[in-house]
Amino acid sequence: MTAPLKNSGPITVEVALGDRSYDILIGRDILSSLGERVAALRPGARVAIVTDEYVATYWLRKTDASLKGAGIATSHIVVDEGEASKSYEGIEFVCEELIKAKIERNDLVVALGGGVVGDLAGFAAAIVRRGIDFVQVPTSLLAQVDSSVGGKTGINSPQGKNLVGAFHQPILVVADTAVLDTLSPRQFRAGYAEVAKYGVLGDEAFFTWLEANHADVVKGGAAREHAVATSCRAKAAIVARDERETGERALLNLGHTFGHALETATGFSDRLYHGEGVSIGMVLAAELSAQLGMLTDADVSRIQRHLAAVGLPTRLQDIAGFKQEGLPDADGLMTLMAQDKKVKRGRFTFILLQAVGQAVVSSDVDPLAVRNFLARKLAQ
Ligand code: GLY
């Protein structure tokens, strides 16, 4: 699957989960069709649009007009932009606003935004009135290829990322690739790390295609749609086989055990976006795999080279303020990693690599080897 698809109407990717199956629609300028699609799926439902202040300035009016144009009554819930909204206060606010807006069980929540809004609105939809259906309208590349698909919703605990949440699948995902034109280059690149992840973890041909076409993915057009659709197809296939992450779905966490620890260490601040943490985390996972004798140095370099060519950070030293503010030492990072959901009975579960396109779940990595590996990486 290496040739870009033609630009002719939305691409549909099905997430096959029996009676909870849903479609992901990917295409340029498809946001205006949201209303008719929602009306067809849930005739008569009212919609609460949950979004953040930043996304609202660009896309709320268009989203609202599309829904109203299809005869749907809407209300708006606008949260602060940024990870801080994925908090107990944030979820309380959204739940109370949904109740105030009299959203009932047969109504709908539309999550209009990036990963924060999707996780927060999805979690509110999972728990208000014991569950309301919701639609994801992802507006960041990261959300289009990862967080809007697969039903993971939730908030952060002061003790770690995504520690409180629920699996709650959307009934539809509408990914308008034109919306990505307004992202800052840095935000786009951060999302791209999750695109590259699908190549690294399971599709060497896609990785090769990305090496040749990443500049066109940034520009937009058919290459971008192909990259988003290929990523969604990969994720949909894994989620359909392992919705609750009892096995294979853990592969999607490639780069995330290191990445989450780095995000926590930098206070979820502008020093490091999620996708940037994943980029550094993927390279660390590749280097650890090489140290354990599983991956060749050539493959490590290939992964690092591609991410760097896109403009992503690939080393701990690339994190903003590394020299001035530093990072926790190896023991500190190990403590942060131990909070992650990827730890079971004290043993780390790492996603390691045997080749580009061949990731494996390893649930028995020696913590001392990881600690010493991190100490070396911090000292480089
Ligand atoms: N972002 C990883 C997953 O959805 O499983």
Side-chain angles (χ1 to χ4, degrees):
M1 175 190 322
T2 53
L5 301 169
K6 289 206 176 67
N7 235 341
S8 53
I11 301 165
T12 303
V13 175
E14 192 199 22
V15 185
L17 289 167
D19 60 2
R20 290 174 300 111
S21 297
Y22 56 95
D23 285 342
I24 308 163
L25 304 178
I26 300 136
R28 188 160 264 275
D29 297 319
I30 60 171
L31 182 57
S32 52
S33 69
L34 178 71
E36 71 198 51
R37 295 180 194 282
V38 166
L41 268 178
R42 289 289 183 277
R46 290 174 308 146
V47 166
I49 304 170
V50 181
T51 189
D52 70 33
E53 283 167 337
Y54 179 81
V55 173
T57 59
Y58 286 97
W59 303 114
L60 182 54
R61 197 170 338 143
K62 189 166 182 179
T63 306
D64 195 59
S66 171
L67 292 163
K68 286 214 175 89
I72 297 168
T74 64
S75 53
H76 306 163
I77 300 172
V78 182
V79 301
D80 292 341
E81 189 200 347
E83 192 77 22
S85 286
K86 263 180 71 173
S87 60
Y88 288 110
E89 295 77 24
I91 194 69
E92 180 181 0
F93 173 72
V94 176
C95 290
E96 289 303 318
E97 291 298 307
L98 286 172
I99 295 164
K100 249 189 251 167
K102 302 197 169 20
I103 292 296
E104 293 170 2
R105 279 186 94 172
N106 48 5
D107 292 327
L108 273 178
V109 172
V110 166
L112 171 70
V116 167
V117 165
D119 285 7
L120 181 65
F123 187 35
I127 57 179
V128 167
R129 300 189 196 279
R130 298 203 176 87
I132 300 169
D133 284 341
F134 84 117
V135 173
Q136 289 270 20
V137 183
T139 59
S140 69
L141 179 57
L142 184 139
Q144 292 196 352
V145 299
D146 183 26
S147 56
S148 69
V149 175
K152 281 189 181 175
T153 72
I155 57 170
N156 301 326
S157 145
Q159 301 185 66
K161 200 170 154 75
N162 297 332
L163 290 180
V164 177
F167 285 96
H168 187 51
Q169 299 291 343
I171 60 163
L172 173 71
V173 181
V174 175
D176 184 337
T177 53
V179 163
L180 308 182
D181 294 343
T182 58
L183 295 179
S184 72
R186 185 178 170 196
Q187 269 177 326
F188 192 92
R189 284 196 298 271
Y192 184 95
E194 299 277 5
V195 174
K197 182 186 80 175
Y198 293 104
V200 176
L201 77 84
D203 189 346
E204 201 262 345
F206 181 48
F207 191 79
T208 304
W209 182 86
L210 288 171
E211 287 174 312
N213 293 283
H214 63 89
D216 288 336
V217 175
V218 174
K219 270 190 223 144
R224 183 185 290 173
E225 283 164 42
H226 177 67
V228 173
T230 305
S231 302
C232 288
R233 226 174 263 125
K235 180 153 186 182
I238 291 175
V239 168
R241 291 191 292 264
D242 179 24
E243 183 185 7
R244 296 272 166 157
E245 199 173 309
T246 54
E248 186 189 1
R249 184 165 179 169
L251 293 176
L252 298 173
N253 298 326
L254 174 65
H256 284 63
T257 303
F258 289 120
H260 281 171
L262 296 173
E263 275 186 276
T264 310
T266 49
F268 298 102
S269 67
D270 278 357
R271 283 182 67 192
L272 190 72
Y273 290 175
H274 173 72
E276 295 172 335
V278 170
S279 174
I280 296 171
M282 262 194 292
V283 175
L284 289 172
E287 289 172 326
L288 181 61
S289 306
Q291 183 185 292
L292 297 171
M294 295 169 57
L295 186 70
T296 64
D297 290 340
D299 275 346
V300 176
S301 303
R302 187 177 172 200
I303 294 164
Q304 189 277 335
R305 250 196 334 269
H306 178 56
L307 296 170
V310 172
L312 280 161
T314 57
R315 303 173 325 134
L316 296 172
Q317 288 73 8
D318 294 339
I319 296 174
F322 180 84
K323 277 215 180 88
Q324 303 79 10
E325 297 172 57
L327 285 176
D329 63 11
D331 291 317
L333 289 176
M334 292 296 288
T335 304
L336 293 176
M337 287 198 290
Q339 289 292 353
D340 206 86
K341 298 185 296 313
K342 286 116 203 152
V343 175
K344 285 198 187 99
R345 293 184 196 94
R347 298 300 276 185
F348 284 98
T349 296
F350 273 100
I351 312 308
L352 298 175
L353 293 167
Q354 294 175 324
V356 174
Q358 267 178 56
V360 287
V361 182
S362 174
S363 48
D364 205 21
V365 179
D366 176 11
L368 188 62
V370 181
R371 187 224 161 265
N372 293 341
F373 165 76
L374 280 173
R376 277 199 306 282
K377 289 282 131 197
L378 284 162
Q380 273 177 357

